[in-house]
Amino acid sequence: MAFRRAAKRTIFLGGGAVAAIYGLSQLSAYKKQPKTQHMFVDAAEPLKLLHPDELPSRESQLCALQNTKEFDVLVVGGGATGSGCALDAVTRNLKTALVERDDFSSGTSSRSTKLIHGGVRYLQKAIMKLDYEQYMMVKEALHERSNLLDIAPHLSAPLPIMLPVYKWWQLPYYWAGIKMYDLVAGGQCLKSSYVLSKAKALELFPMLKKDKLVGAIVYYDGQHNDARMNLAIALTAARYGAATANYTEVVRLLKKTDPQTGTERVCGARCKDVITGKEFDVRAKCVINATGPFTDSVRKMDDEKISNICQPSAGVHIVIPGYYSPDNMGLLDPSTSDGRVIFFLPWEKMTIAGTTDSPTDVTPHPLPREEDVNFILNEIRNYLSPDVEVRRGDVLAAWSGIRPLVTDPNSKDTQSICRNHIVNISESGLVTIAGGKWTTYRAMAEETLDSAMKAHKMKSSKCNTVGLVLEGGKDWTPTLYIRLVQDYGLEMEVAQHLASTYGDKAFDVAKLAKVTGKRWPVVGKRLVSEFPYIESEVQYAIKEYACTAIDIIARRTRLGFLNVQAAEEALPRIVEIMGKELKWSEQKKKEELEAAKQFLYYEMGSKTRSEQLTNTEINLTPADVDRYKNRFHKFDKQKKGFITVVDVKHVLESISVQIDENTLHDILNEVDLNKNGQVEFNEFLQLMSAVQKGRVSGSRFAMLMKTAEENLDEREAVSVDRSGGGV
């Protein structure tokens, strides 16, 4: 058994932060050793895309997996690291296969903080502890940050992040640390960090708490659409010829006896098409385990007695409306009440906040906990102006991701663990890549393939992924969206979204868009009114190997991560389009709709959101109760004690407002806690109490009743006296 990881050494006993960085950098230069070259050969021919136009279908990819006699490399796991390994392997002219039991990026890789960063806090640890390993991890990550921004410019961009300072002595301390971050990045520094006065900080981030603020420091990191980035890596591997298949589960590892040593060697995997249930063997000279939090479950397929090397940690994020942060400025809380770090970032025109860090069990369906959601909200309140009411009801989505931290199995405190990676070669030849972070996926893949080639005595060309442009990036420009507007008649917001999501493939999505029948936009029917996702994206997603409605709302679009209610509203149309394209039966459509609703309810925070209403006690003043009783009785004119859809329709008709019956049912269903088809007075009071406490916001039923009441009152107030007297 062989482990490879960066050497760790404590060096230099004094001299301050600058001396520490200088010493660490000198040791870095001293330690650089040329890699062994014996396993590398010159590429037989230059790299070329095997599928430059149409991606091969999932069916043809499955055929390739079943009919290929033997692959050079089989990668298990379709997250960022696994997809990166597949891309690295196929671009070394190795015959490559990639299998994922769920969808590409269905796990941790789609549930990150959306940052491409070196890790400011890791650099702080490197300086304070004179830790060479952490320093090298930051240096490598900053190099990878630069590369990732170059190879996927449509999916990523630099983001300024503000660090507010509330004590004068902290200003030089934080400034020195952030300048060290710039220094370590060297020529790959995105933009130089700078100091802001209190007035300028509030001008750029007006929501910030003014009290005791002395200034701020702004530094730059990268931001990306993580699930789409992961998908771009996998699709690029497919275009270069890798046989890639999602919803393909490894049931067990295949082994054969080595005639020279008499030992068993891993030689492939028994796989199952999760959708059809069909099983088949995929044979390969080398099998790479890149399954993130599930690392140890695959390792135990190789050796049941082996000890764990991965200790999972859960990180929760929440999404709140975009008005909580400026459009292009993030916020870093470097020291929360319990010592964690919280980011507060604009993302997809919303605001994302997180993350937490707590030990967890490994599960394919992690759930956001209410206590974590409230922890993040409380930390946000500490940094925002009292004028900004941070409400629990403003949480539009919440999710939990499991970080695959590499640790000693006896370690209890996951917060002190460094997210570095380990490459492990088992006695039977199974290659495992574990740990690491999103930003360094490419470097991890390169090291994994180098180790695999050496361990299996295979020859390949050198790594070719530095600077290798990902799917959609080749012909993308910042003004590409203008051509989409001009050539196809798309709304500008939709065109910008398509360009930043699909890059130069946005034209393929636009070609599928249906005519709206309106003067403007000419094409592009939205799935929901407030988001720029259009129906043709569902059709295109199937070409990108989307197999379920969850794939659409979670990873091809990000609707489920941005707003669970909007995602649920879009689901019927999504299922209808997919059903037509994939020839689903009515029963299959119902199953897909229900599965997607369950996903939103449990994994995207809809459950914790709805519990804000069900768990709220009625706590209203007598005056409030009387006011709401009057409002209720304007709908419940017969004093039945409940309101039905028919009651609401009658009131709306009287004020000349039209809402279709299905929408009315949905609106009432949000408040109908006991699901008996009617809203009772106590349920209405429970809703209004939750609204007053800020635990529920944006309730369509509450707004509808308030608006209707105001309209009715205005009509009743109109005088019927004759203005001119009379006989």
Side-chain angles (χ1 to χ4, degrees):
M1 184 181 295
F3 285 90
R4 293 187 61 206
R5 64 186 297 179
K8 181 176 180 179
R9 185 176 298 176
T10 302
I11 55 168
F12 301 103
L13 300 177
V18 175
I21 286 292
Y22 176 78
L24 289 168
S25 64
Q26 291 301 303
L27 183 58
S28 169
Y30 173 76
K31 278 182 167 280
K32 280 183 181 175
Q33 299 291 336
K35 292 182 180 179
T36 52
Q37 302 293 323
H38 70 273
M39 80 284 288
F40 298 130
V41 296
D42 292 333
E45 55 186 33
L47 280 177
K48 64 178 182 180
L49 290 171
L50 200 62
H51 306 287
D53 300 318
E54 287 287 322
L55 281 163
S57 67
R58 181 174 180 273
E59 289 69 27
S60 63
Q61 296 281 40
L62 287 168
C63 286
L65 288 172
Q66 295 172 57
N67 298 331
T68 301
K69 184 177 179 181
E70 185 180 49
F71 288 95
D72 293 318
V73 174
L74 166 62
V75 182
V76 182
T81 305
S83 299
C85 287
L87 181 58
D88 189 293
V90 75
T91 52
R92 295 184 191 221
N93 291 318
L94 294 169
K95 196 178 293 183
T96 305
L98 169 66
V99 295
E100 161 61 46
R101 74 173 177 183
D102 204 295
D103 186 27
F104 302 117
S105 196
S106 59
T108 306
S109 296
S110 63
R111 302 174 188 229
S112 73
T113 312
K114 324 303 179 197
L115 284 178
I116 310 169
H117 63 130
V120 173
R121 58 177 172 155
Y122 297 137
L123 182 61
Q124 180 189 28
K125 289 180 181 178
I127 295 171
M128 300 302 290
K129 298 181 180 179
L130 297 170
D131 189 331
Y132 172 74
E133 181 184 7
Q134 298 244 22
Y135 167 77
M136 285 306 299
M137 188 177 74
V138 174
K139 190 172 180 64
E140 177 184 65
L142 289 171
H143 166 74
E144 294 302 320
R145 178 188 71 177
S146 175
N147 181 68
L148 197 48
L149 289 166
D150 287 341
I151 65 177
H154 57 303
L155 290 169
S156 59
L159 176 71
I161 300 174
M162 182 182 291
L163 198 163
V165 180
Y166 288 90
K167 295 178 182 177
W168 280 108
W169 69 265
Q170 290 179 333
L171 202 58
Y173 174 77
Y174 286 139
W175 178 85
I178 294 298
K179 278 299 173 187
M180 289 301 147
Y181 196 58
D182 292 350
L183 180 65
V184 174
Q188 295 172 327
C189 179
L190 300 180
K191 290 183 182 180
S192 184
S193 58
Y194 54 91
V195 177
L196 292 173
S197 66
K198 175 180 179 178
K200 192 64 178 177
L202 292 171
E203 180 185 331
L204 293 175
F205 209 118
M207 308 84 175
L208 208 56
K209 184 172 71 175
K210 302 174 186 178
D211 189 34
K212 297 182 180 178
L213 181 71
V214 298
I217 300 165
V218 175
Y219 73 99
Y220 286 80
D221 256 325
Q223 187 178 50
H224 69 153
N225 185 335
D226 53 3
R228 292 294 315 185
M229 185 73 81
N230 190 157
L231 184 64
I233 300 165
L235 295 181
T236 306
R239 288 200 184 275
Y240 278 103
T244 61
N246 54 352
Y247 294 100
T248 305
E249 181 180 7
V250 169
V251 179
R252 66 175 184 274
L253 297 176
L254 304 177
K255 292 187 177 183
K256 66 180 181 182
T257 302
D258 186 329
Q260 294 181 338
T261 63
T263 59
E264 282 194 324
R265 304 286 292 176
V266 174
C267 64
R270 180 72 172 175
C271 296
K272 181 175 76 171
D273 180 351
V274 175
I275 294 175
T276 65
K278 180 181 178 181
E279 292 192 8
F280 53 90
D281 290 342
V282 178
R283 299 198 173 272
K285 296 172 185 174
C286 170
V287 176
I288 295 175
N289 169 21
T291 53
F294 302 95
T295 291
D296 290 318
S297 62
V298 176
R299 291 176 71 241
K300 289 180 187 297
M301 290 183 187
D302 178 33
D303 181 355
E304 291 181 358
K305 298 178 181 178
I306 205 162
S307 59
N308 291 348
I309 61 171
C310 182
Q311 182 171 318
S313 170
V316 171
H317 293 83
I318 64 172
V319 167
I320 51 183
Y323 55 69
Y324 273 96
S325 66
D327 291 340
N328 194 36
M329 180 69 75
L331 187 75
L332 168 63
D333 178 357
S335 183
T336 62
S337 57
D338 66 351
R340 307 177 192 179
V341 171
I342 290 284
F343 285 99
F344 189 67
L345 310 167
W347 182 66
E348 299 287 321
K349 299 190 176 179
M350 294 293 176
T351 302
I352 181 174
T355 179
T356 58
D357 188 1
S358 53
T360 185
D361 295 327
V362 175
T363 169
H365 307 292
L367 310 180
R369 300 184 306 175
E370 181 62 21
E371 61 193 87
D372 289 324
V373 172
N374 286 323
F375 168 79
I376 296 171
L377 289 173
N378 286 332
E379 294 303 322
I380 292 171
R381 290 186 185 101
N382 292 336
Y383 273 85
L384 295 189
S385 167
D387 297 339
V388 180
E389 184 185 357
V390 181
R391 304 180 300 180
R392 174 61 181 84
D394 283 339
V395 176
L396 304 174
W399 68 86
S400 176
I402 301 178
R403 301 187 193 91
L405 304 180
V406 181
T407 181
D408 182 326
N410 298 319
S411 175
K412 295 180 180 179
D413 180 15
T414 64
Q415 293 183 45
S416 65
I417 296 170
C418 171
R419 264 190 292 172
N420 212 338
H421 63 273
I422 287 177
V423 178
N424 167 228
I425 316 289
S426 75
E427 292 178 0
S428 61
L430 175 66
V431 180
T432 294
I433 170 67
K437 53 201 295 252
W438 222 120
T439 307
T440 57
Y441 84 90
R442 192 215 60 80
M444 291 161 59
E446 179 182 357
E447 183 181 335
T448 303
L449 265 294
D450 286 351
S451 300
M453 295 301 98
K454 183 177 180 181
H456 288 268
K457 298 180 173 60
M458 296 168 63
K459 290 190 175 182
S460 74
S461 61
K462 295 179 182 178
C463 175
N464 289 298
T465 53
V466 174
L468 184 72
V469 178
L470 298 181
E471 174 90 349
K474 183 173 180 289
D475 295 320
W476 176 87
T477 66
T479 57
L480 184 144
Y481 75 93
I482 297 174
R483 287 175 54 200
L484 291 169
V485 175
Q486 293 175 335
D487 294 354
Y488 294 94
L490 289 161
E491 293 175 82
M492 188 173 75
E493 185 187 11
V494 171
Q496 289 172 328
H497 152 66
L498 294 181
S500 65
T501 301
Y502 304 94
D504 58 25
K505 303 297 179 187
F507 295 99
D508 296 334
V509 183
K511 288 173 186 174
L512 296 171
K514 297 286 192 299
V515 175
T516 63
K518 301 176 183 177
R519 184 185 63 79
W520 190 262
V522 180
V523 301
K525 293 183 179 179
R526 294 194 182 209
L527 289 167
V528 282
S529 59
E530 68 266 42
F531 288 92
Y533 302 115
I534 58 175
E535 292 182 355
S536 62
E537 291 183 75
V538 181
Q539 294 169 273
Y540 190 76
I542 294 170
K543 297 176 185 287
E544 295 181 321
Y545 307 127
C547 299
T548 70
I550 297 173
D551 297 343
I552 304 292
I553 60 174
R555 294 171 286 275
R556 302 310 183 279
T557 74
R558 306 311 307 275
L559 196 50
F561 279 78
L562 293 169
N563 189 316
V564 290
Q565 287 186 312
E568 187 165 350
E569 186 181 322
L571 272 175
R573 182 59 182 149
I574 290 171
V575 170
E576 184 182 341
I577 296 169
M578 292 191 80
K580 183 178 179 181
E581 295 289 324
L582 298 174
K583 297 179 174 56
W584 286 345
S585 66
E586 289 302 316
Q587 180 60 31
K588 174 65 174 173
K589 289 180 187 178
K590 289 179 182 177
E591 290 171 359
E592 282 294 322
L593 188 61
E594 183 58 30
K597 286 182 177 180
Q598 291 294 305
F599 168 78
L600 292 172
Y601 186 72
Y602 289 106
E603 295 185 52
M604 290 293 109
S606 184
K607 179 176 184 288
T608 57
R609 182 183 173 90
S610 64
E611 285 173 350
Q612 298 310 304
L613 179 55
T614 57
N615 295 340
T616 297
E617 293 182 5
I618 299 172
N619 187 14
L620 298 168
T621 65
D624 284 335
V625 173
D626 288 341
R627 179 159 54 94
Y628 294 137
K629 183 184 291 185
N630 289 334
R631 184 177 300 174
F632 191 83
H633 285 158
K634 288 185 185 295
F635 289 78
D636 178 24
K637 294 181 179 179
Q638 298 172 336
K639 305 293 192 297
K640 307 183 300 295
F642 60 84
I643 296 171
T644 65
V645 169
V646 174
D647 295 325
V648 177
K649 280 183 71 176
H650 285 159
V651 172
L652 294 180
E653 286 170 1
S654 71
I655 58 174
S656 303
V657 174
Q658 289 187 338
I659 299 178
D660 71 85
E661 192 162 331
N662 287 335
T663 303
L664 281 178
H665 276 289
D666 289 341
I667 291 173
L668 264 68
N669 193 50
E670 293 173 8
V671 191
D672 180 14
L673 302 180
N674 54 17
K675 304 304 176 189
N676 61 357
Q678 57 198 32
V679 176
E680 290 149 12
F681 182 55
N682 271 355
E683 290 174 326
F684 177 62
L685 290 181
Q686 201 163 349
L687 168 66
M688 299 317 297
S689 185
V691 169
Q692 279 196 7
K693 293 177 181 177
R695 302 185 74 174
V696 170
S697 63
S699 168
R700 293 185 291 176
F701 186 75
M703 293 298 293
L704 183 149
M705 291 192 70
K706 181 182 178 183
T707 303
E709 180 187 41
E710 290 170 350
N711 274 272
L712 289 169
D713 288 345
E714 285 178 9
R715 288 173 179 243
E716 291 171 2
V718 174
S719 174
V720 294
D721 292 340
R722 300 176 67 175
S723 59
V727 295

